[in-house]
């Protein structure tokens, strides 16, 4: 079973809606203290199951959610990236989270780029943000490579209100001018 939604491709990646088969990848992502550190911390399988279902449900209820990222060369699930805006979120976000073995290959920028294009072109968003922990320097570098400057401190809704975040982002016009 796969959630309803489009499939996007880059030269190295396939981005598709959440599928039941992604569960083990989600579990691996959230079981590793390094990769889970800035996205809610290490989580048990039952909690990860609920998060996977929330992602799939968002596709059904909102028509968007983070895409599952599949590496074309291996067919392996390596992370998630894309639009995310739960109730109370500080803006229209495109976020990313990848398995540790997928770090340092440019996959986050590649996936986020096609997801931002899709959010602006198909969702009609006029701005995209990235909420990033002030200590998460790798994600700050991704935001910079995407052309998103730091806009200032932000606040997430409960139960994440105690998590420090900075908001990075840009308008659709800024994005399109940079992409030309």
């Amino acid at each position: 079973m796969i959630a309803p939604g489009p499939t996007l491709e880059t030269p190295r990646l396939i981005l598709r809606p959440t599928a039941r088969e992604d569960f083990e990848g989600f579990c691996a992502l959230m079981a590793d203290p390094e990769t889970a550190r800035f996205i809610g911390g290490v989580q048990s399988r039952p909690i990860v199951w609920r998060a996977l279902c929330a992602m799939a449900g968002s596709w059904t209820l909102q028509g968007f959610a983070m895409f599952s990222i599949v590496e074309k060369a291996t067919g392996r699930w390596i992370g998630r990236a894309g639009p995310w805006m739960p109730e109370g979120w500080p803006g229209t976000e495109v976020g990313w989270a990848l398995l540790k073995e997928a770090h340092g290959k440019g996959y986050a920028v590649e996936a986020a780029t096609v997801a931002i294009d899709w959010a602006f072109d198909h969702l009609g968003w006029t701005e995209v943000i990235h909420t990033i922990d002030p200590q998460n320097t790798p994600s700050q570098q991704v935001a910079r490579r995407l052309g998103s400057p730091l806009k200032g401190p932000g606040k997430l809704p409960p139960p994440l209100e105690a998590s420090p975040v900075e908001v990075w982002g840009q308008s659709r016009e800024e994005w399109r001018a940079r992409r030309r």
Side-chain angles (χ1 to χ4, degrees):
M1 296 293 298
I2 189 168
T7 297
L8 310 177
E9 291 194 34
T10 73
R12 301 182 298 162
L13 306 172
I14 297 169
L15 282 74
R16 60 156 172 75
T18 310
R20 190 181 197 324
E21 69 194 52
D22 302 337
F23 181 55
E24 293 304 324
F26 267 73
C27 287
L29 180 73
M30 298 312 296
D32 178 12
E34 187 179 330
T35 60
R37 178 178 174 198
F38 299 117
I39 54 172
V42 171
Q43 297 175 3
S44 67
R45 290 176 66 87
I47 299 298
V48 173
W49 175 253
R50 288 179 184 94
L52 176 102
C53 289
M55 198 71 65
S58 183
W59 277 107
T60 300
L61 296 176
Q62 292 187 280
F64 66 87
M66 287 197 189
F67 293 91
S68 283
I69 306 170
V70 177
E71 190 178 45
K72 280 185 179 179
T74 63
R76 210 170 85 98
W77 186 96
I78 59 166
R80 61 187 193 211
W84 190 239
M85 197 182 72
E87 179 65 27
W89 215 247
T92 48
E93 177 160 24
V94 168
W96 50 84
L98 281 76
L99 294 171
K100 187 178 355 185
E101 53 268 26
H103 291 185
K105 298 180 180 182
Y107 287 158
V109 172
E110 190 173 326
T113 296
V114 71
I116 291 170
D117 281 341
W118 186 79
F120 286 146
D121 294 344
H122 296 279
L123 299 177
W125 287 5
T126 58
E127 179 182 45
V128 68
I129 66 164
H130 322 292
T131 56
I132 302 173
D133 185 291
Q135 295 181 12
N136 188 346
T137 53
S139 277
Q140 292 168 7
Q141 291 294 359
V142 171
R144 285 186 187 98
R145 286 186 61 201
L146 293 168
S148 292
L150 175 61
K151 294 180 165 268
K155 187 154 181 74
L156 298 178
L160 304 169
E161 69 272 17
S163 300
V165 295
E166 295 173 333
V167 176
W168 298 67
Q170 61 189 298
S171 71
R172 179 174 52 208
E173 291 72 27
E174 291 166 328
W175 175 255
R176 289 185 173 155
R178 201 180 132 279
R179 297 273 288 152
R180 282 190 210 117

